[in-house]
């Protein structure tokens, strides 16, 4: 009894709402501990949704919500889950949250739901969610787990948005459906009318799924060149 | 019969899980370091896909569909039931293999539990629903997409074994070059349908 008391007191002393440790939980996944480029988690469902910015944005928000709240729920339940069946418990919690997200999207944004189709469901097996549950939420208090989930979701969303901006701009000459560069009058800058832009052609490769993989590879290259600590020696 | 063959070729090559949709990338990148383990995981994925896609077809048609036993549309429960059936069948497969074929269990043992969270398994089940296959098509689709996935991971592992001898720039080593290789393989596979960006334009 005394032991648990001292443990609780100690835990309370360490816990803050937005101390330096808590801030680190949010900012680290955006850069040096990025789930996609450093931890290689969650590449699975990410790359097919990045042809345009809008579905990528919605995917980023959905994943952030799911990672945040599943971390919170599992962290609250962590002392009551038997070790042998923890995977199934985690999967059921995640599947429930994803179902909520899917139903909300279906109700309020039907075209996007149609476009994302199976990829919303694939958030369940997105390795980020499971990975963070196993690595963080099973051993840490709820508020920090929640922040860790939000941070990792945001790190994933950040990569998704960077890739989708590049792909939509170079592939279709638009950002968020707002047409910027192109060969007809629909676009803000009609390339055929300006002699200094007449060479411009949209890059068809950027529309193909393979380009997303190349872009992730290049982002990893840049990040590791800037931070040699991350270089893979194996 | 023609139709089934068509579904098989399409799922294994033209719409390859990994190289056309980039589904199942996590374990594809993590376990493709040697050909031997890649073959083990590939075989396990074929087996589990051939089992779970038809099971999930039965669940979605006979239990969740409007013509199923409850006579109501319960499709919103799809995710929970699919993932539960996948986890349960992986567990059963693991126990059965352990009991009846210890040598196969030793070969696949480590990979079987990993498969529950392989996006390709749930992805195949969801694609099967989205494309409204019938029962025999879903059996063939399960086997075909498993074969496609196994093919991709074995090819990738073979390339990564060779690339260890080449002089890749240090920051690109390991994961980075694996991504770029996957992209190149994806583009090569695209030749099977003819490069036609218009199909992705919608």
């Amino acid at each position: 009894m005394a032991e648990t008391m001292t443990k609780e007191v100690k835990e309370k002393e360490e816990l803050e709402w937005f101390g330096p440790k808590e801030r680190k939980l949010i900012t680290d996944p955006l850069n040096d501990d990025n789930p996609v480029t450093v931890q290689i988690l969650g590449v699975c469902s990410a790359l097919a949704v990045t042809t345009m910015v809008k579905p990528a944005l919605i995917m980023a928000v959905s994943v952030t919500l799911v990672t945040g709240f599943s971390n919170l729920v599992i962290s609250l339940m962590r002392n009551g889950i038997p070790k042998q069946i923890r995977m199934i418990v985690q999967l059921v919690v995640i599947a429930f949250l994803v179902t909520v997200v899917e139903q909300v999207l279906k109700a309020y944004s039907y075209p996007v739901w149609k476009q994302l189709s199976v990829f919303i469901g694939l958030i369940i097996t997105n390795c980020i969610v499971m990975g963070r549950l196993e690595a963080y939420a099973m051993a840490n208090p709820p508020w920090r787990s929640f922040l860790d989930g939000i941070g990792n979701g945001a790190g994933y969303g950040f990569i998704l948005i960077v890739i989708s901006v590049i792909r939509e701009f170079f592939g279709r000459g638009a950002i968020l459906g707002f047409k910027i560069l192109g060969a007809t009058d629909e676009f803000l800058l009609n390339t055929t009318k300006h002699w200094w832009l007449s060479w411009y052609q949209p890059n068809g490769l950027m529309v193909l799924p393979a380009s997303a993989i190349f872009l992730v590879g290049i982002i990893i290259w840049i990040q590791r060149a800037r931070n040699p600590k991350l270089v893979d020696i194996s | 019969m023609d139709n089934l063959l068509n579904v098989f070729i399409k799922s294994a090559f033209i719409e390859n899980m990994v190289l056309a949709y980039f589904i199942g990338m996590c374990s594809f990148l993590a376990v493709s370091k040697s050909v031997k383990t890649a073959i083990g995981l590939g075989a396990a994925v074929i087996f589990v896909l051939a089992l779970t896609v038809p099971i999930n077809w039965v669940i979605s048609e006979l239990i969740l569909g409007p013509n199923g036993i409850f006579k109501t549309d319960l499709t919103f429960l799809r995710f929970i039931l699919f993932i539960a059936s996948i986890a349960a069948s992986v567990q059963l497969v693991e126990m059965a293999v352990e009991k009846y074929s210890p040598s196969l269990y030793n070969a696949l043992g480590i990979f079987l539990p990993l498969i529950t969270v392989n996006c390709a398994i749930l992805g195949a089940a969801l694609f099967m629903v989205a494309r409204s296959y019938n029962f025999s098509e879903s059996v063939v689709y399960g086997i075909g997409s498993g074969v496609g996935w196994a093919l991709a991971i074995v090819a990738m592992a073979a390339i990564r074994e060779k690339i260890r001898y080449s002089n890749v720039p240090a920051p690109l080593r390991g994961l980075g070059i694996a991504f770029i290789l996957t992209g190149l393989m994806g583009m090569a596979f695209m030749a099977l349908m003819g490069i036609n960006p218009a199909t992705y334009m919608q």
Side-chain angles (χ1 to χ4, degrees), chain A residues 25-214:
Chain A
L25 283 176
I26 296 256
T27 53
D28 261 6
L30 288 174
N31 188 16
D32 283 353
D33 200 20
N34 190 288
V36 179
T37 60
V38 181
Q39 307 173 41
I40 354 170
L41 296 176
V43 218
C44 321
S45 58
L47 303 167
V49 302
T50 51
T51 41
M52 284 186 278
V53 180
K54 198 179 166 202
L57 214 61
I58 287 177
M59 190 74 181
V61 173
S62 321
V63 170
T64 309
L65 288 177
V66 172
T67 45
F69 284 100
S70 64
N71 261 11
L72 179 69
V73 172
I74 290 292
S75 170
L76 285 170
M77 288 163 51
R78 70 184 187 280
N79 296 324
I81 303 176
K83 265 263 178 305
Q84 293 84 4
I85 59 157
R86 66 179 195 288
M87 205 120 142
I88 293 180
V89 174
Q90 289 167 355
L91 280 173
V92 169
V93 169
I94 301 168
F96 166 72
L97 286 165
V98 173
T99 308
V100 171
V101 167
E102 194 221 10
Q103 295 297 320
V104 169
L105 265 184
K106 197 174 169 183
Y108 291 100
S109 176
Y110 191 73
V112 177
W113 178 80
K114 263 258 162 312
Q115 195 179 7
L116 290 174
S117 67
V118 302
F119 293 101
I120 290 285
L122 286 177
I123 297 176
I124 298 172
T125 44
N126 192 321
C127 326
I128 293 181
V129 188
M130 279 294 261
R132 292 326 291 175
L133 288 182
E134 275 291 300
Y136 202 89
M138 287 299 282
N140 284 285
W143 173 244
R144 280 197 190 165
S145 305
F146 180 68
L147 287 180
D148 180 79
I150 295 285
N152 276 284
Y156 164 90
F158 175 66
I159 297 289
L160 227 63
I161 288 164
V162 168
I163 294 174
S164 64
V165 166
I166 298 175
R167 284 182 74 184
E168 192 176 355
F169 183 72
F170 288 104
R172 295 158 204 255
I175 283 175
L176 269 173
F178 183 73
K179 295 182 159 120
I180 298 171
L181 265 178
T184 55
D185 269 333
E186 280 186 323
F187 291 91
L188 191 67
L189 262 178
N190 187 340
T191 49
T192 48
K193 282 191 182 158
H194 303 277
W195 61 267
W196 47 275
L197 271 176
S198 54
W199 51 268
Y200 179 81
Q201 285 280 329
N203 187 344
L205 173 70
M206 286 295 167
V207 181
L208 301 177
S211 69
I213 283 276
F214 288 132

Side-chain angles (χ1 to χ4, degrees), chain A residues 37 40 42-44 95 99 102-103 118 121-122 124-125 127 130 172 205 209-210 213-214 216 220-221 224-225 231-232, chain B residues 20 22-23 25-26 76 79-80 113 117 119 122-123 126-127 170-175 179-180 183-184 187 190 200-201:
Chain A
T37 60
I40 354 170
V43 218
C44 321
T99 308
E102 194 221 10
Q103 295 297 320
V118 302
L122 286 177
I124 298 172
T125 44
C127 326
M130 279 294 261
R172 295 158 204 255
L205 173 70
I213 283 276
F214 288 132
V216 175
I220 291 174
W221 190 358
R224 293 191 178 181
V231 171
D232 205 339
Chain B
F22 301 111
I23 287 174
M25 285 289 290
C26 294
F76 64 92
F79 295 152
I80 294 182
V117 284
C119 324
L122 184 65
L126 293 175
F127 272 126
L172 204 55
R173 232 167 258 168
L175 190 58
F179 268 103
I180 290 178
L184 289 171
M187 286 182 78
M190 215 169 276
Y200 295 95
M201 277 290 194

Side-chain angles (χ1 to χ4, degrees), chain B residues 93-174:
Chain B
V93 166
E94 195 183 351
M95 288 184 328
V97 172
E98 189 178 12
K99 179 133 192 260
Y100 294 111
S101 168
S103 61
L104 184 66
Y105 179 76
N106 286 336
L108 299 182
I110 336 146
F111 302 117
L112 278 171
L114 267 180
I115 286 177
T116 313
V117 284
N118 186 334
C119 324
I121 311 290
L122 184 65
L126 293 175
F127 272 126
M128 175 269 297
V129 172
R131 292 174 189 164
S132 45
Y133 286 137
N134 61 31
F135 184 74
S136 47
E137 280 172 337
S138 71
V139 174
V140 175
Y141 179 72
I143 298 171
S145 48
V147 168
W149 199 88
L151 208 70
I153 194 172
V154 171
M156 182 67 180
I159 298 176
R160 281 181 83 176
E161 274 190 359
K162 293 286 171 217
I163 212 154
R164 218 168 288 154
Y165 302 110
S166 44
N167 189 11
V168 179
L172 204 55
R173 232 167 258 168

